[in-house]
């Protein structure tokens, strides 16, 4: 196990990566992280590896400047600053998922917020935030590959649970790893439903209060979904 990486959490994070792939939220790219339980200035994230292939031994402990604790650590993700700067800006956030899940992208490009269409997406509250990378960096390769761009993204996220990234994808945050995985899965589901409902007419979204109540209710149900998601993975190579 890597330097200062708790074994049980490394296993949980490896499972989280594979669940995201199993639900087609990530492909060869995208990543999930969790704040270190013993030190809020550290977080755990896989080294540069496809999510479906992440094993507990691939998990690396990083500081909030994006540097690995272990000088011998393998090559990191270019976009680790998405995670580091959100942890720096949001002490309440314990886990982050970044993906390019397909149904969310039209909303990011149209500058239209995701809004909670059904109870499973109550965490969207009054809607997702929007990140325009051009405002921070002009013409770029679209990747959040520096602390500066990570800070701009974290500012756009604000107190929201989800930020859409124009021309790129989205990032969701949670107060725990399982909750962040749940949110990534249901942000994508909500985007599909929002698109199909808009084709029929003006959607009736959950009210702010309905969103809050259903979000609180669903948080209690996440362990049930998690058990199923792990079961679906079948045999593991770790
Ligand atoms: Mn990306």
């Amino acid at each position: 196990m890597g330097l200062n990486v708790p074994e049980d959490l490394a296993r949980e994070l490896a499972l989280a990566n594979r669940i995201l792939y199993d639900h087609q939220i990530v492909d060869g790219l995208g990543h999930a992280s969790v704040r270190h339980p013993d030190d809020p200035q550290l977080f755990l994230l896989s080294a540069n590896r496809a999510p479906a292939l992440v094993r507990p031994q691939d998990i690396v402990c990083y500081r909030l400047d994006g540097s690995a604790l272990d000088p011998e650590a393998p090559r990191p993700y270019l976009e680790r600053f998405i995670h580091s700067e959100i942890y720096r800006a949001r002490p309440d956030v314990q886990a982050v998922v970044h993906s390019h899940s397909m149904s969310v992208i039209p909303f990011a490009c149209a500058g239209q917020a995701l809004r909670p269409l059904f109870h499973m997406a109550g965490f969207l509250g009054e809607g997702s935030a929007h990140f325009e990378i051009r405002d921070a960096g002009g013409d770029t390769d679209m990747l959040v590959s520096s602390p500066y761009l990570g800070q701009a993204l974290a500012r756009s996220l604000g107190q929201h649970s989800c930020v859409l990234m124009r021309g790129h994808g989205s990032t969701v945050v949670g107060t725990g790893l399982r909750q962040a995985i749940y949110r990534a899965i249901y942000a994508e589901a909500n985007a599909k439903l929002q698109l199909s409902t808009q084709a029929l007419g003006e959607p009736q979204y959950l009210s702010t209060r309905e969103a809050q109540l259903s979000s609180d209710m669903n948080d209690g149900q996440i362990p049930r979904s998690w058990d199923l998601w792990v079961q679906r993975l079948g045999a593991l190579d770790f």
Side-chain angles (χ1 to χ4, degrees):
M1 207 55 57
L3 196 60
N4 202 6
V5 177
E7 199 171 336
D8 54 342
L9 199 50
R11 181 181 164 81
E12 182 97 340
L13 189 50
L15 290 174
N17 273 272
R18 290 173 185 231
I19 288 167
L20 289 172
Y21 177 70
D22 190 44
H23 284 78
Q24 297 184 291
I25 303 303
V26 297
D27 46 25
L29 308 176
H31 19 81
S33 70
V34 62
R35 199 189 287 267
H36 198 291
D38 302 329
D39 184 346
Q41 302 300 309
L42 301 172
F43 67 100
L44 307 175
L45 174 71
S46 173
N48 196 330
R49 202 168 164 85
L53 305 180
V54 169
R55 305 157 301 177
Q57 61 263 41
D58 299 312
I59 304 302
V60 174
C61 183
Y62 293 96
R63 303 180 186 91
L64 297 189
D65 65 1
S67 65
L69 210 57
D70 183 349
E72 308 286 296
R75 192 157 76 93
Y77 289 128
L78 292 171
E79 292 197 290
R80 60 194 179 283
F81 306 103
I82 291 173
H83 305 262
S84 58
E85 294 301 337
I86 288 175
Y87 289 126
R88 201 197 294 274
R90 287 276 303 269
D92 61 309
V93 167
Q94 298 300 321
V96 177
V97 175
H98 168 64
S99 80
H100 313 139
S101 76
M102 295 288 172
S103 308
V104 175
I105 291 176
F107 291 89
C109 297
Q112 199 179 121
L114 289 183
R115 292 179 59 190
L117 198 80
F118 72 147
H119 63 121
M120 302 298 279
F123 64 89
L124 289 169
E126 292 176 358
S128 58
H130 182 76
F131 176 58
E132 173 50 79
I133 193 168
R134 264 183 220 144
D135 292 345
D139 287 340
T140 63
D141 61 8
M142 307 306 290
L143 298 190
V144 178
S145 52
S146 69
Y148 172 77
L149 291 172
Q151 286 158 24
L153 176 69
R155 270 198 304 278
S156 292
L157 171 68
Q159 293 304 307
H160 292 80
S161 61
C162 175
V163 58
L164 310 190
M165 304 156 75
R166 196 268 309 161
H168 183 171
S170 59
T171 298
V172 298
V173 301
T175 55
L177 180 57
R178 294 181 181 189
Q179 188 198 58
I181 301 304
Y182 169 94
R183 289 178 171 186
I185 291 171
Y186 283 100
E188 170 69 12
N190 195 84
K192 285 199 180 87
L193 292 174
Q194 204 170 324
L195 271 174
S196 55
T197 307
Q198 281 172 347
L200 298 175
E202 182 59 32
Q204 186 70 245
Y205 298 106
L206 267 60
S207 70
T208 304
R209 184 75 179 135
E210 285 173 334
Q212 184 64 55
L213 289 169
S214 56
S215 178
D216 292 347
M217 186 279 298
N218 274 309
D219 282 347
Q221 304 287 338
I222 291 175
R224 194 167 96 190
S225 298
W226 184 267
D227 290 345
L228 171 66
W229 297 338
V230 171
Q231 178 76 30
R232 272 173 54 111
L233 296 175
L236 297 165
D237 56 354
F238 60 83

